[in-house]
């Protein structure tokens, strides 16, 4: 009763507001006349597809208690596995954690110098990164800490703020940047919007990594050579020019830097060579190669100590060394955050967030695919956000995932994210036990470590060649990003590649081009013979071929572009579906950006390939539109009898997931345009392969899915399209095959009777298929003729019940039942192109028999 009252109130309001609730029913007939109740018998239950409602959508997207519980459960992924932690996992984590710790200590100190900060801040960032990440991690391989690119960006921010606000120390600015960037990233992760990183393409990431690596490597050459007197953080090409100009001023630092860099590459080359020559010792060579950074730093620290132990004063040192490194967390404090600091670096904030995100997520996804697990980008954002929020309380600056350390950790056999705790202990030991040793580390050797580390970020030529093979345009985007990074800045390079990639994406969406397709009958081939019988063809099992001994059962219809633009063999003849019937396939969705482009091509092609149904539709010259002025005075209108008139359009929606108001309105306009072109006939619109209920609702609301009433019919005739049905029940047996053969024989006798005596009340799918040239022997789709009297469907139902056409003709077995696949209330929405084409051809041909536009199932003579 409440529902009835609500419906009455709703209908009353709609009437007052002038809302047409059934505006898609232009004839005003009851909805039953659409044909939904006709195919409802014991052999095939009826199915009416219900439209999704707005309330249903709200229920789907609205959070529930269960959703909240799942959100909280996945917020701390370590709880999923920590209870099963065991000694085997611990052994793997110990090895990987200690190995990464030996690498991260020298690297983090080197990267801190890139950030224009004392080296201890790199250690602080490393400690907090690996310690916090494992609580929120969905990747066992990622190692969070200082990285070269983010350190460079941080250094740029520190220098920029120092110019305008020298009262703020560099580490205060870096900590504030970490907190603001971390808060933004954490919010994105908590909102589960990790999908936004998917808008950054691989070519953009590769360009950013390569350009940044070149920028950093070039910027470290002056420290490597001991050259001073110019800004090594200037634009890359300017730094190169200054290096060449001042190369003669190199100092003893060059000996410490160049030899260290050479040794790093020699050790890696030797270990890789040894692993190839002695595969059984590959693991040993891997660990030796991994520890090369720590070995080189320790070696050159010892050399530096021998050279400078009597020259501790800064002016007396033979070459530049780190100097005093404070022990412990001397800069632990509550970070300073105020509007002055934020305004000072707000322009660099987007680039900082992008760098943190794309480097971390790209690395995590890559190693997840390599090691057979899936990461959650949103949860990774939470992890990286919390790390950067809490790290500054101990003096950390912005941190993210490190490619080199992650690769080492994965190869070292890490088992769980808990390995980060082991690495944190190693870093903690270095912070408290090794500051005295750090005093003698040569700056040039640290520059060698940086150059060696970022060298692996440069995209190799072979990868670029593979990019070119896949998408030449994206290689151009890659080089554009690299050149902008070299001649401008890292930030500009990031923006350039992302903007160009998004522009290319939008261009492809807007300029998406549909394809007109035609039918090709193909055979399945195994080896050197056709599949004709599953029992006689070796290697073909139950599902390898069609049932039965008829060779035609091994054939099927496929639909290829008429112009062979998909690369199919041009010697294969693609048959036009039927004169006046066109099949149009969307290629990249159907939304407001590309709807006009799609349908402009559709109409232009149809106008080119067909003729107007009534060439004299304009009695007077003045009635003609300006863009179709017609023939010159005194000449007859040009009639092209070799071209067909437009009868039906079939749209393939297999690549369309959603539509919008604009695209549907444009489709309505095109439908009306083509109806005027085909007047006095109406164009049938068949829509196939619609995958989304909301798309069906939108199209049905616009009047699609139902036949268009003809102007010459006083009443909207019942429409009897071909429905697709699926077999339910039955069994694979000889009895089933015998029953199927009996049914086929009965159908053949019916056809013979019809051929001799005219119309019989039932037309089977096989008959329609025979008349249209489509192989429908493997189809169960019924086709019903109907008396012109449309009073009751009882007679039709009794005829269907008696028909053999519905009795398991696929050989499914005695007692098998069939059910319609899609709703009977939308007869022009089809499950596939074959059923759409069958329905379109059958209706066009049967309308033409009486010389008047009638629907299938009429007996008009």
């Amino acid at each position: 009763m409440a529902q009835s009252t609500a419906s009455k109130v709703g209908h009353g309001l709609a009437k007052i507001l002038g809302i047409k609730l059934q505006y898609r029913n232009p004839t005003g007939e009851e909805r039953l006349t659409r044909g939904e109740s006709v195919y409802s018998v014991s052999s095939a239950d009826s199915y009416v597809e219900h439209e999704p409602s707005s309330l249903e959508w709200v229920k789907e997207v609205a959070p529930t208690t269960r959703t909240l519980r799942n959100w909280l459960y996945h917020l701390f992924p370590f709880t999923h596995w920590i209870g099963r932690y065991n000694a085997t996992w611990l052994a793997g984590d110990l090895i990987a954690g200690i190995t990464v710790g030996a690498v991260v200590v020298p690297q983090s100190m080197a990267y801190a110098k890139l950030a224009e900060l004392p080296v201890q801040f790199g250690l602080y960032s490393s400690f907090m990164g690996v310690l916090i990440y494992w609580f929120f991690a969905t990747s066992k391989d990622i190692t969070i800490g200082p990285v070269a690119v983010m350190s460079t960006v941080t250094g740029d921010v520190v220098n920029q703020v120092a110019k305008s606000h020298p009262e703020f120390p560099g580490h205060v600015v870096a900590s504030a940047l970490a907190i603001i960037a971390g808060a933004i990233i954490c919010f994105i992760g908590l909102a589960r919007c990790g999908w936004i990183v998917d808008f950054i393409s691989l070519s953009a990431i590769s360009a950013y990594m390569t350009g940044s690596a070149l920028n950093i490597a070039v910027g470290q050459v002056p420290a490597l050579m001991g050259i001073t007197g110019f800004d090594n953080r200037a634009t890359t090409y300017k730094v190169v020019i200054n290096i060449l100009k001042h190369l003669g001023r190199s100092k003893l630092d060059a000996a410490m830097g160049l030899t260290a860099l050479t040794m790093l590459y020699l050790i890696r080359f030797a270990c890789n060579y040894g692993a190839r020559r002695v595969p059984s010792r590959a693991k040993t060579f891997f660990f030796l190669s991994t520890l090369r950074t720590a070995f080189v730093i320790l070696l050159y620290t010892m050399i530096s100590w021998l050279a400078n132990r009597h020259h501790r004063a800064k002016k007396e040192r033979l070459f530049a060394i780190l100097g005093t490194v404070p022990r412990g967390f001397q800069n632990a404090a509550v970070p300073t955050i105020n509007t002055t600091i934020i305004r000072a670096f707000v322009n660099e904030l987007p680039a900082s967030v992008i760098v943190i995100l794309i480097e971390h997520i790209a690395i995590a996804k890559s190693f997840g695919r390599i090691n057979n697990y899936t990461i959650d980008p949103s949860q990774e954002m939470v992890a990286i956000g919390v790390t950067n929020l809490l790290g500054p309380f101990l003096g950390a600056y912005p941190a993210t995932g490190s490619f080199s350390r992650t690769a080492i950790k994965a190869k070292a056999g890490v088992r769980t994210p808990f390995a980060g705790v082991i690495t944190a202990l190693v870093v903690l030991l270095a912070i408290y036990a090794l500051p005295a040793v750090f005093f003698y580390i040569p700056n040039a050797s640290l520059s060698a470590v940086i150059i060696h580390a970022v060298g692996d970020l440069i995209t190799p030529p072979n990868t670029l060649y593979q990019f070119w093979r896949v998408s030449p345009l994206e290689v151009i985007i890659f080089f554009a990003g690299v050149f902008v990074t070299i001649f401008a800045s890292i930030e500009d390079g990031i923006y350039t590649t992302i903007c160009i990639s998004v522009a290319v994406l939008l261009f492809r969406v807007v300029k998406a081009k549909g394809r007109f397709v035609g039918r090709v009958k193909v055979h399945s081939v195994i080896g050197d013979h056709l599949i004709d019988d599953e029992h006689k063809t070796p290697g073909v099992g139950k599902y390898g071929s069609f049932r039965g001994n008829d060779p035609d059962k091994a054939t099927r219809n496929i639909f290829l572009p008429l112009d062979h633009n998909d690369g199919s063999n041009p010697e294969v003849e693609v048959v036009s579906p039927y004169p006046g019937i066109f099949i149009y396939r969307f290629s990249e969705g159907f939304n407001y950006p590309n709807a006009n482009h799609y349908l402009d091509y559709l109409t232009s092609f149809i106008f080119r390939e067909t003729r107007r149904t009534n060439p004299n539709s304009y009695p007077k010259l003045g009635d003609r539109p300006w863009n179709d002025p017609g023939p010159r005075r005194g000449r007859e209108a040009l009639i092209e009898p070799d071209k067909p008139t437009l009868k039906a359009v079939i749209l393939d929606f297999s690549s369309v997931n959603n539509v919008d108001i604009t695209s549907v309105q444009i489709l309505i306009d095109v439908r009306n345009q083509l109806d005027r072109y085909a007047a006095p006939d109406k164009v049938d619109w068949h829509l196939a392969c619609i995958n989304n209920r909301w798309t069906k609702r939108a199209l049905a609301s616009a009047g699609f899915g139902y036949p268009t009433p003809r102007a010459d019919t006083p009443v909207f005739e019942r429409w009897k399209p071909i429905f697709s049905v699926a077999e339910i029940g039955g069994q694979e047996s000889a009895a089933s095959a015998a029953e199927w053969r009996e049914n086929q024989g009965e159908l053949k006798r019916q056809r013979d009777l019809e051929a001799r005596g005219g119309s019989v009340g039932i037309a089977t799918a096989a008959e329609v298929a025979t008349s249209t040239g489509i192989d429908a022997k493997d189809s169960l789709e019924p086709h019903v003729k109907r008396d012109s009297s449309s009073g009751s469907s009882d007679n039709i139902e009794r005829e269907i019940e008696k028909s053999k056409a519905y009795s398991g003709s696929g050989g499914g077995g005695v007692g098998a039942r069939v059910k319609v696949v899609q709703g009977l209330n939308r007869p022009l929405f089809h499950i596939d192109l074959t059923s759409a084409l069958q329905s379109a051809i059958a209706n066009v041909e049967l309308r033409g028999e009486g010389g008047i536009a009638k629907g299938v199932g009429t007996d008009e003579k």
Side-chain angles (χ1 to χ4, degrees), residues 386-400:
V386 172
T387 299
N388 283 287
L389 279 171
L390 299 182
F393 287 89
L394 290 184
Y397 68 90
T400 187

Side-chain angles (χ1 to χ4, degrees), residues 5-21:
T5 304
S7 298
K8 290 180 180 178
V9 171
H11 290 173
L13 288 175
K15 188 174 182 180
I16 295 172
L17 297 174
I19 299 175
K20 298 179 181 179
L21 298 178

Side-chain angles (χ1 to χ4, degrees), residues 85-96:
Y85 202 79
N86 53 67
T88 304
W89 290 2
L90 178 60
D93 289 344
L94 275 173
I95 295 172

Side-chain angles (χ1 to χ4, degrees), residues 235-276:
T235 308
T236 304
Y237 78 96
K238 292 181 179 179
V239 176
V240 171
I241 293 173
N242 287 326
I243 289 172
L244 296 176
K245 288 170 61 177
H246 300 87
L247 195 59
R249 295 165 47 192
S250 301
K251 301 177 183 177
L252 187 58
D253 299 73
M256 303 298 291
L258 290 175
T259 54
L261 182 61
T262 303
M263 184 173 291
L264 286 169
Y265 278 106
L266 285 178
I267 293 174
R268 185 170 74 173
F269 173 79
C271 290
N272 290 342
Y273 179 78
R276 290 195 302 269

Side-chain angles (χ1 to χ4, degrees), residues 152-450:
T152 303
V153 173
T154 302
D156 293 339
V157 172
V158 169
N159 288 339
Q160 177 182 325
V161 175
K163 294 177 181 177
S164 57
H165 300 281
E167 67 275 14
F168 294 120
H171 69 274
V172 171
V173 176
S175 295
L177 176 64
I179 286 182
I180 300 302
I184 294 173
I185 295 170
C186 187
F187 173 78
I188 296 173
L190 291 173
R192 292 302 186 239
C193 295
W195 46 266
I196 63 172
V197 297
D198 294 332
F199 284 98
I200 304 175
S201 65
L202 179 59
S203 58
I205 295 174
S206 300
Y208 138 76
M209 299 285 276
T210 300
S212 300
L214 293 173
N215 179 289
I216 294 167
V218 170
Q220 289 303 303
V221 171
L224 184 80
M225 305 295 293
I227 304 173
T228 57
F230 59 89
D231 182 12
N232 65 342
R233 303 186 72 92
T235 308
T236 304
Y237 78 96
K238 292 181 179 179
V239 176
V240 171
I241 293 173
N242 287 326
I243 289 172
L244 296 176
K245 288 170 61 177
H246 300 87
L247 195 59
R249 295 165 47 192
S250 301
K251 301 177 183 177
L252 187 58
D253 299 73
M256 303 298 291
L258 290 175
T259 54
L261 182 61
T262 303
M263 184 173 291
L264 286 169
Y265 278 106
L266 285 178
I267 293 174
R268 185 170 74 173
F269 173 79
C271 290
N272 290 342
Y273 179 78
R276 290 195 302 269
R277 294 297 302 269
V278 189
S280 60
R281 297 289 183 182
K283 199 72 173 178
T284 302
F285 284 114
F286 162 73
F287 283 108
L288 290 175
S289 178
T290 297
L291 297 174
R292 66 184 181 275
T293 302
F295 169 75
V296 168
I297 289 296
L298 288 175
L299 175 63
Y300 280 82
T301 299
M302 185 183 69
I303 295 173
S304 175
W305 175 74
L306 293 174
N308 292 304
R309 59 181 174 169
H310 301 302
H311 306 280
R312 290 179 62 89
K314 190 170 184 179
K315 294 183 179 180
E316 298 177 357
R317 297 168 186 169
L318 301 180
F319 44 81
I321 58 178
L322 284 184
T324 303
V325 177
R327 186 187 307 273
F329 296 96
Q330 299 296 321
N331 296 95
V334 177
T336 301
I337 304 291
N338 55 51
T339 56
T340 304
I341 295 179
I342 295 175
R343 279 198 299 265
F345 61 69
V346 68
N347 292 334
E348 307 300 325
L349 192 56
S352 302
V353 172
I354 291 173
V355 169
I356 293 174
L357 282 182
I358 63 177
E359 191 158 357
H360 180 89
I361 301 298
I363 294 170
K365 285 185 175 180
S366 176
F367 280 90
R369 287 189 288 266
I370 291 172
N371 295 316
N372 196 30
Y373 63 86
T374 303
I375 69 151
D376 181 355
S378 296
Q379 183 60 31
E380 289 297 313
M381 288 185 180
V382 173
I384 198 71
V386 172
T387 299
N388 283 287
L389 279 171
L390 299 182
F393 287 89
L394 290 184
Y397 68 90
T400 187
S402 167
F403 178 81
S404 59
R405 298 194 295 272
T406 299
I408 291 170
K409 190 176 181 182
K411 291 181 181 178
V414 64
R415 303 302 300 271
T416 71
F418 187 74
V421 177
I422 311 301
T423 302
L425 293 177
V426 174
V427 177
L428 188 65
L429 178 67
I431 291 174
Y432 279 95
L434 299 180
V437 178
F438 297 156
F439 181 89
Y440 289 101
I441 294 178
N443 286 341
S445 299
L446 284 180
S447 295
V449 169
I450 294 173

Side-chain angles (χ1 to χ4, degrees), residues 142 325 334 391 452 462 482 547 624 631 804:
I142 284 287
V325 177
V334 177
H452 180 67
N462 182 60
V482 172
R547 182 181 290 106
R624 303 190 71 94
K804 300 288 185 177

